[in-house]
Amino acid sequence: GLVLKDTQGFVEILDTSLDLTPAQSYILSKILEGYDGEQSVWEYLASSLKNPYLSEAAWERESKLALYRKLRQLLYLPPKRRSYTLPDQPTIAIINLSRITNTRIKKVYAHLIIKTIAFYIQHGKLRRDTVIVVDEAHNVFDKDSPIAFLISEVRKWRLGFVIATQSPSFVSSNVMKNTNTKIIHTIKSSIDLSTLSRSLYIPREIEEKIPFLPPGRAVVAVSELEWPVIVDVDVDVLEKGCVKIA
């Protein structure tokens, strides 16, 4: 559905994530013009790219082969790792990408999953509140992420995000600005602290404590509070949702 109805969105994800050249991006768009959905898009791309036509110009053959090399690890992932079906009933679904060892391919796959979920919600195929939790978000929503804009656009579609990262300085500024609630644990990097300071106002007396926060203590900033506050989470009663404001 995503490729047929939002071909350019699909191309944009691959273009940005795989750092395609203009020629490779053009070839990809041109090939997808003939995609009819009868087979998986990956099978279609593999058959279209690995056997360039001799009648094509030299630059076109070279671009096809180069694009094939960039996509090869993604094209031949096991089907179970390459496709995801949205459940009919509310549930918690965990998509583990740790078995994909290539960092770039892992990023492309994460982008496509998130984009696909957003696509289904925007087109009314998933009519319920949905939250996507992204761990190690600096690997997904980095400064060049082609889907960072979703954070600010999908709220009206009842789609929310929980972003977890140990390196906020590597996360897209659009994502940092559009996360309403921030829970900040110990951060010692001055670059990361500076990034947080640009995305919200933290009083100096609180900012100075962030590098020394012990486990279970965090700075919480929400739009309903005028200033960020320091909270203690009692690990023994965490399952009951008890939080003490320090």
Side-chain angles (χ1 to χ4, degrees), residues 27-95:
I27 292 293
L28 182 59
S29 297
K30 186 177 178 181
I31 289 174
L32 288 174
E33 287 177 359
Y35 180 60
D36 57 11
E38 291 187 2
Q39 60 186 142
S40 81
V41 66
W42 306 113
E43 292 172 343
Y44 178 77
L45 285 174
S47 62
S48 301
L49 289 171
K50 65 181 179 181
N51 296 313
Y53 297 107
L54 295 177
S55 59
E56 294 174 333
W59 71 267
E60 195 167 359
R61 292 198 301 272
E62 291 172 2
S63 296
K64 270 190 174 183
L65 290 173
L67 180 58
Y68 177 72
R69 286 193 295 270
K70 286 186 175 182
L71 286 173
R72 190 173 186 279
Q73 287 184 285
L74 188 59
L75 295 174
Y76 295 108
L77 280 175
K80 287 184 179 179
R81 296 188 202 171
R82 211 170 49 196
S83 61
Y84 176 67
T85 302
L86 295 174
D88 294 328
Q89 300 298 323
T91 185
I92 296 175
I94 299 175
I95 304 175

Side-chain angles (χ1 to χ4, degrees), residues 180-186 200-207 209-210 213 216-233 243-246:
N180 290 333
T181 300
K182 291 182 173 65
I183 302 173
I184 306 164
H185 291 278
T186 305
L200 77 161
Y201 175 72
I202 305 176
R204 180 172 293 277
E205 60 270 21
I206 292 181
E207 183 176 350
K209 294 179 180 179
I210 292 177
L213 292 172
R217 181 168 293 179
V219 174
V220 176
V222 296
S223 57
E224 290 80 6
L225 295 177
E226 184 177 2
W227 308 108
V229 296
I230 297 177
V231 303
D232 284 330
V233 179
V243 176
K244 176 179 66 177
I245 298 179

Side-chain angles (χ1 to χ4, degrees), residues 154-212:
V154 296
R155 292 174 190 163
K156 59 187 175 184
W157 303 105
R158 299 166 68 184
L159 172 62
F161 285 87
V162 174
I163 306 298
T165 179
Q166 296 179 7
S167 305
S169 60
F170 287 95
V171 175
S172 163
S173 59
N174 186 67
V175 172
M176 292 297 296
K177 288 187 295 185
N178 285 284
T179 47
N180 290 333
T181 300
K182 291 182 173 65
I183 302 173
I184 306 164
H185 291 278
T186 305
I187 293 179
K188 300 186 181 297
S189 166
S190 59
I191 298 176
D192 289 332
L193 282 171
S194 176
T195 299
L196 286 170
S197 297
R198 288 196 299 270
S199 65
L200 77 161
Y201 175 72
I202 305 176
R204 180 172 293 277
E205 60 270 21
I206 292 181
E207 183 176 350
E208 291 175 347
K209 294 179 180 179
I210 292 177
F212 309 103

